[in-house]
């Protein structure tokens, strides 16, 4: 061994002892090495004591270095740690080699098993080192393996017996035991083996599964125990109830028997009294007869001692008296026998009471539930109730009657039906009507008391949409309907079905909580909608109304029949106005009438939405007409355009000459129209406060009013002479109109 730091001295490997493993550590403390022992208990390998680097007498340090190399080499040879001579050089130069050893397996001691192996003064004693001594045997090395190690090299040896599980690298599934890897080919050659870590994970998973099953079983057992406790309590309660039932029945039986006993004793006493009275009467009569007989005998004896004359006189009287006495019938039969008749006791009611002890008692009064949401239709209602769980019921009797003005009518007929379940759907009822329900339970023992009364209400009838009063535009629609119910409802719901094609369907929107019978619904432009209306009350929603279709391609309205002059006729579709040749008799308008009286006109119902509205009027060139807009409160006794509440275009034909006027407040601008329009387009622009007229056939602009529209206005149409006007609405706005 040359002792140079970079050298690689040749090391001979000797077999390791078979009885223990060992754990090499860095001989010198490098900065990157993991510290295995407490800091205060170790001394760095680089700080070599002076006793080891110098000898007494000033000897050169080369000898100490040489002795150290020899001891290290002996340690390496003894435990077969080195390979190729690497250990010696690395230990000498103070580096921290990283050794990978596969056979046998090396272990570092656990932190809790560390002992106080620090470098101390005893390290100077050559006898304590012992690692390089030639006479050291395995027994002494084994002693070091149990806790003593070289203080200088920090080596710790762990015997195999203390950790046999770690020595088993594989797990035999067949034998269910860990084995050494070297024994697999011998005794476990045909067995299924798996890595120890995998077997450990599998065992852990199995244990976790079993723990989960055990926890589940514990929960089930706890639930079962709770159920048993509930059953125990129920048994106690049922026992107490049955005990009370038996006691009440037996008390009733004893009361019945006592009552029968009193009745029978009283009847028997009355019979006894009657017999004794009859016998006593007979006894008194018999005594009286005996007294009479004795008196007669004594009298006769006295007569025998009298003289003949006196005897004859008394004998005649005595003979009459004896004749009368002897002619009197004497009752010598006993009127009342001493025996009493056998009394027949009727115990049928007692037997019935005795039999009822072994039967179920009569049920308690049911509890009727309040009406549930959406439990009624227009002609039926679902009634539910409940009963105590321990009552036995064979059937229920459900009774009901209608309620008027918030209180049950005395004269209202009551209806009763037999039901087997605790619910019943009662049909053939009146829509939107309140009913009073109550229920009783019955079994063989009898009938329960009636439940409390509960109020149920049927759903309303579906509303009826007024299709002739629907108004719409591109952004909205105004829907009006009739309630269809005699009684008021709580609110209404409008359901919208949007469909680009007639085949598509589906409710996309619902407007709820509408208190009145009309609704202004916001819509999307250029769409087709199917609209339904439902009525809602306490009983729930009604069925859908008949549908109506609304197109949002333009402004759509009908003519208002209430404003129509008697001289005009509106067609069935509501879009054509006709004035006939015949004269209509004048009628005095009623006070507050909304009809036109002087001006032969009619107004349309335009939807109250600010925006742009467009419609067209088909006219006859030879007719005298007026078209435009006006406020709803425009004077009906004045012509259109003659006041500040209307803006109109008027056409008159005089001497084959067409005259067009754009009237507002009685004035018109001087405008000449060369091409007579046959279809007039009208654009009402709320945003810009304008009213424009167009020749729709040639897309020609005629005139535009600047209006102060502080309120909503409505279309108006007038015919001064017989003719016809046809309104086209619900149409898209032409392109030439959008520029104005």
């Amino acid at each position: 061994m040359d002792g140079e730091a970079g050298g690689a001295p040749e090391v001979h490997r000797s077999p390791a002892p078979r009885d223990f493993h060992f754990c090499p550590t860095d001989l010198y403390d490098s900065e990157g090495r993991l510290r295995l022992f407490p800091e205060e208990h170790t001394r760095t390998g680089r700080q070599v004591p002076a006793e080891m680097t110098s000898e007494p007498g000033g000897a050169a340090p080369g000898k100490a270095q040489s002795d150290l190399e020899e001891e290290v080499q002996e340690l390496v040879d003894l435990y077969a740690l080195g390979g190729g001579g690497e250990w010696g050089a690395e230990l000498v130069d103070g580096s921290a080699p990283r050794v990978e050893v596969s056979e046998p397996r090396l272990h570092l001691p656990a932190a809790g098993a560390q002992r106080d192996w620090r470098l101390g003064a005893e390290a100077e004693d050559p006898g304590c080192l012992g690692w390089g001594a030639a006479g050291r045997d395995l027994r002494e090395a084994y002693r070091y393996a149990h806790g003593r190690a070289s203080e200088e090299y920090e080596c710790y040896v762990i015997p195999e017996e203390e950790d046999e599980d770690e020595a088993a690298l594989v797990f035999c599934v067949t034998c269910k035991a860990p084995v050494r890897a070297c024994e697999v080919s011998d005794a476990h050659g045909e067995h299924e083996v798996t890595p120890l870590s995998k077997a450990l994970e599998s065992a852990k998973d199995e244990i976790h599964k079993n723990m989960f099953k055990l926890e589940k079983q514990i929960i089930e057992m706890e639930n079962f125990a709770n159920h048993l406790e509930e059953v125990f309590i129920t048994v106690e309660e049922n026992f107490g109830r049955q005990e009370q039932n038996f006691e009440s029945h037996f008390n009733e039986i004893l009361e019945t028997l006592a009552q029968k006993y009193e009745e029978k004793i009283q009847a028997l006493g009355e019979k006894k009294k009657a017999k004794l009275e009859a016998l006593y009467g007979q006894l008194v009569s018999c005594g009286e007869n005996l007294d009479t007989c004795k008196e007669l005998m004594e009298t006769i004896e006295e007569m025998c001692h009298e003289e003949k004359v006196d005897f004859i006189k008394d004998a005649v009287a005595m003979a009459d008296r004896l004749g009368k006495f002897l002619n009197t019938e004497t009752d010598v039969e006993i009127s009342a026998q001493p025996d009493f008749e056998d009394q027949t006791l009727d115990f049928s009611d007692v037997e019935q009471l005795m039999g009822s002890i072994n039967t179920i008692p009569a049920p308690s009064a049911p509890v009727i539930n309040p009406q549930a949401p959406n439990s009624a239709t227009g002609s039926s209602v679902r009634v539910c109730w409940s009963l105590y769980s321990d009552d036995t019921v064979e059937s229920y009797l459900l009774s009901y009657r209608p309620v008027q003005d918030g209180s049950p009518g005395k004269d209202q007929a009551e209806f009763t039906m037999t039901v087997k379940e605790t619910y019943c759907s009662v049909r053939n009822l009146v829509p939107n009507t309140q009913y009073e329900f109550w229920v009783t339970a019955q079994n063989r023992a009898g009938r329960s008391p009636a439940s409390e009364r509960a109020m149920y209400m049927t759903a309303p009838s579906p509303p009826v949409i007024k299709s002739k009063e629907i108004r719409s535009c591109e952004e909205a629609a105004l829907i009006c309907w009739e309630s269809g119910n005699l009684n008021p409802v709580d609110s209404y719901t409008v359901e919208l079905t949007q469909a680009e094609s007639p085949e598509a369907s589906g409710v996309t929107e619902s407007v709820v909580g509408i208190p009145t019978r009309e609704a202004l619904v916001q819509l999307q432009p250029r769409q087709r909608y199917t609209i339904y209306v439902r009525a809602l009350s306490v009983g729930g929603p009604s069925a859908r109304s008949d549908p109506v279709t609304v197109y949002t391609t333009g402004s759509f309205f009908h003519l208002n029949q209430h404003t129509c002059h008697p001289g005009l006729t509106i067609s069935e579709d509501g879009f054509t106005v006709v004035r006939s040749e015949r004269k209509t008799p004048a009628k005095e308008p009623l006070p507050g009438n909304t009809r036109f009286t002087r001006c032969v006109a009619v107004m349309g119902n335009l939807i109250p939405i600010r925006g742009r509205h467009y419609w067209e009027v088909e006219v006859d060139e030879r007719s005298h007409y007026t078209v435009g807009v006006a406020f709803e409160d425009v004077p009906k006794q004045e012509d259109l355009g003659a006041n500040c509440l209307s803006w109109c275009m008027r056409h008159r034909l005089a001497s084959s000459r067409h005259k067009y006027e754009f009237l507002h407040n009685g004035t018109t601008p001087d405008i000449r129209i060369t091409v007579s329009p046959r279809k007039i387009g009208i654009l009402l622009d709320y945003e810009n406060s304008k009213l424009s007229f167009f020749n729709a056939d040639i897309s020609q602009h005629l005139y535009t009013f600047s209006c102060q529209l502080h309120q909503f206005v409505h279309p108006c149409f007038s015919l001064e002479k017989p003719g016809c006007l046809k309104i086209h609405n619900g149409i898209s706005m032409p392109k030439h109109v959008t520029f104005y």
Side-chain angles (χ1 to χ4, degrees), residues 647-719:
W647 297 262
C648 301
M649 172 183 174
R650 185 169 68 179
H651 168 258
R652 289 182 179 180
L653 180 62
S655 302
S656 300
R657 181 174 175 272
H658 297 278
K659 182 179 181 182
Y660 295 92
E661 298 175 310
F662 297 91
L663 297 170
H664 173 64
N665 208 12
T667 61
T668 178
D670 187 10
I671 295 178
R672 297 180 181 271
I673 297 176
T674 57
V675 179
S676 297
R678 295 186 177 181
K679 185 181 290 185
I680 301 173
I682 302 174
L683 174 64
L684 174 61
D685 189 353
Y686 280 102
E687 297 175 355
N688 299 312
S689 299
K690 292 182 179 181
L691 177 67
S692 301
F693 296 88
F694 301 88
N695 188 337
D697 291 332
I698 60 176
S699 303
Q700 181 186 15
H701 174 255
L702 300 179
Y703 185 74
T704 297
F705 285 102
S706 293
C707 312
Q708 297 296 327
L709 303 176
H710 56 278
Q711 297 178 8
F712 290 106
V713 294
H714 297 280
C716 52
F717 311 91
S718 175
L719 285 169

Side-chain angles (χ1 to χ4, degrees), residues 617-621 623 625 627 677-680 724-726:
V617 184
E618 186 176 340
V619 299
D620 187 356
E621 295 179 348
S623 62
Y625 59 84
V627 295
R678 295 186 177 181
K679 185 181 290 185
I680 301 173
C724 175
L725 296 177
K726 189 172 183 179

Side-chain angles (χ1 to χ4, degrees), residues 38-311:
E39 191 68 29
E40 63 273 8
H41 292 169
T42 58
R43 183 182 297 178
T44 59
R46 297 185 185 275
Q47 297 176 355
V48 182
E51 294 82 359
M52 299 180 63
T53 58
S54 62
E55 293 182 357
K63 187 175 184 302
Q65 182 72 15
S66 177
D67 294 339
L68 180 61
E69 291 176 0
E70 291 177 359
E71 292 181 1
V72 171
Q73 181 62 36
E74 290 178 2
L75 180 64
V76 172
D77 293 340
L78 178 61
Y79 298 107
L81 297 177
E86 298 175 356
W87 271 83
E90 293 174 351
L91 294 176
V92 171
D93 64 7
S95 62
R98 188 176 185 86
V99 182
E100 296 181 1
V101 182
S102 60
E103 289 291 344
R105 189 172 180 182
L106 305 180
H107 300 277
L108 291 177
Q114 295 175 359
R115 300 188 180 184
D116 194 6
W117 303 332
R118 56 178 177 268
L119 298 176
E122 61 271 341
E124 300 176 3
D125 186 4
C128 294
L129 294 175
W131 292 98
R136 182 80 62 184
D137 58 2
L138 281 177
R139 193 169 188 179
E140 191 171 352
Y142 185 76
R143 180 172 58 85
Y144 274 88
H146 274 276
R148 297 187 62 187
S150 171
E151 292 85 356
E152 186 174 355
Y153 303 122
E154 299 180 359
C155 239
Y156 181 48
V157 183
I158 303 174
E160 185 179 7
E161 296 85 21
E162 292 189 1
D163 200 355
E164 294 181 357
D165 294 340
E166 293 295 339
L169 301 180
V170 294
F171 182 80
C172 180
V173 180
T174 305
C175 299
K176 298 186 183 301
V179 297
R180 292 190 180 91
C182 60
E183 298 177 0
V184 173
S185 59
D186 298 336
H188 307 275
E190 297 181 357
H191 294 178
E192 181 183 357
V193 295
T194 184
L196 187 62
S197 60
K198 185 176 180 182
L200 180 62
E201 292 296 330
S202 178
K204 288 182 179 179
D205 293 342
E206 187 68 22
I207 290 175
H208 289 163
K209 291 180 181 178
N210 293 333
M211 289 179 63
F212 177 75
K213 293 180 180 178
L214 186 60
E215 291 177 356
K216 186 177 180 181
Q217 187 173 0
I218 290 173
I219 294 174
E220 291 178 356
M221 293 301 295
E222 289 179 351
N223 294 336
F224 181 69
N226 294 334
H227 180 64
L228 286 178
E229 184 178 356
E230 293 176 357
V231 172
F232 182 86
I233 296 174
T234 304
V235 169
E236 291 288 345
E237 293 177 352
N238 291 340
F239 172 77
R241 191 177 294 109
Q242 290 294 335
E243 184 180 12
Q244 293 178 358
N245 185 27
F246 287 158
E247 184 179 356
S248 63
H249 275 77
F250 278 110
N251 290 335
E252 187 175 357
I253 292 172
L254 292 177
E255 290 176 0
T256 304
L257 290 174
Q259 183 178 359
K260 285 185 174 294
Y261 173 79
E262 293 294 337
E263 292 176 357
K264 293 298 182 182
I265 291 298
Q266 184 177 0
L268 192 60
E270 291 177 356
K271 288 183 178 180
K272 172 188 173 183
K273 181 180 179 181
K275 285 179 177 290
L276 292 177
E277 288 179 353
L279 293 173
Y280 180 76
Q282 261 188 325
L283 184 61
V284 171
S285 177
C286 183
E288 291 177 353
N289 288 334
L290 287 175
D291 292 341
T292 303
C293 290
K294 289 179 180 181
E295 182 184 356
L296 289 175
M297 290 294 294
E298 291 175 355
T299 303
I300 292 173
E301 289 179 357
E302 290 177 357
M303 286 174 59
C304 290
H305 296 287
E306 292 180 356
E307 294 180 359
K308 293 180 180 181
V309 177
D310 295 331
F311 176 78

Side-chain angles (χ1 to χ4, degrees), residues 258-509:
Q259 183 178 359
K260 285 185 174 294
Y261 173 79
E262 293 294 337
E263 292 176 357
K264 293 298 182 182
I265 291 298
Q266 184 177 0
L268 192 60
E270 291 177 356
K271 288 183 178 180
K272 172 188 173 183
K273 181 180 179 181
K275 285 179 177 290
L276 292 177
E277 288 179 353
L279 293 173
Y280 180 76
Q282 261 188 325
L283 184 61
V284 171
S285 177
C286 183
E288 291 177 353
N289 288 334
L290 287 175
D291 292 341
T292 303
C293 290
K294 289 179 180 181
E295 182 184 356
L296 289 175
M297 290 294 294
E298 291 175 355
T299 303
I300 292 173
E301 289 179 357
E302 290 177 357
M303 286 174 59
C304 290
H305 296 287
E306 292 180 356
E307 294 180 359
K308 293 180 180 181
V309 177
D310 295 331
F311 176 78
I312 292 297
K313 292 180 180 179
D314 294 334
V316 175
M318 180 59 66
D320 293 337
R321 183 178 176 186
L322 286 174
K324 292 181 180 178
F325 177 76
L326 293 176
N327 290 330
T328 303
E329 294 183 0
T330 304
D331 188 7
V332 294
E333 294 181 0
I334 300 175
S335 61
Q337 298 297 326
D339 298 331
F340 286 88
E341 297 177 358
D342 293 335
Q343 298 294 322
T344 302
L345 301 178
D346 183 12
F347 290 103
S348 59
D349 50 352
V350 178
E351 292 176 355
Q352 184 178 359
L353 290 174
M354 292 293 294
S356 65
I357 296 178
N358 299 323
T359 61
I360 56 176
S364 304
V367 179
I368 193 165
N369 301 338
Q371 185 173 3
N374 302 325
S375 62
T377 65
S379 60
S380 67
V381 64
R382 182 183 175 89
V383 185
C384 301
W385 58 90
S386 59
L387 196 69
Y388 291 107
S389 59
D390 56 347
D391 282 341
T392 301
V393 177
E394 296 178 358
S395 62
Y396 299 93
L397 296 178
L398 179 63
S399 303
Y400 63 95
R401 62 182 177 183
V403 176
Q404 293 182 350
D405 299 330
S407 60
K410 296 181 180 179
D411 299 334
Q412 297 294 332
E414 294 184 2
F415 303 92
T416 302
M417 53 196 309
T418 303
V419 186
K420 292 292 186 181
E421 296 81 9
T422 57
Y423 60 89
C424 180
S425 294
V426 184
R427 307 182 184 279
N428 300 324
L429 302 179
V430 180
N432 200 34
T433 303
Q434 197 173 27
Y435 288 85
E436 182 184 40
F437 286 88
W438 64 96
V439 62
T440 57
Q442 61 182 4
N443 56 21
R444 288 175 296 174
R447 184 180 299 181
S448 73
S451 67
E452 294 184 357
R453 310 266 172 136
M455 297 297 178
Y456 280 66
M457 191 168 187
T458 54
S461 299
V464 180
I465 300 178
K466 300 178 181 179
S467 57
K468 293 297 183 66
E469 297 184 13
I470 292 178
R471 294 173 272 174
S472 64
C473 62
E474 291 187 354
E475 295 84 12
L478 182 63
I479 313 298
C480 302
W481 58 86
E482 292 290 343
S483 173
N485 296 274
L486 297 177
N487 298 325
V489 300
D490 295 338
S491 63
Y492 298 92
T493 298
V494 175
E495 296 179 356
L496 311 174
T497 301
Q498 180 179 350
E500 297 180 357
S501 61
E503 293 80 11
S505 63
V507 175
T508 58
E509 184 180 358

Side-chain angles (χ1 to χ4, degrees), residues 507-518:
V507 175
T508 58
E509 184 180 358
S510 294
V511 183
V512 300
I514 303 172
T516 59
R517 293 192 293 272
E518 66 177 23

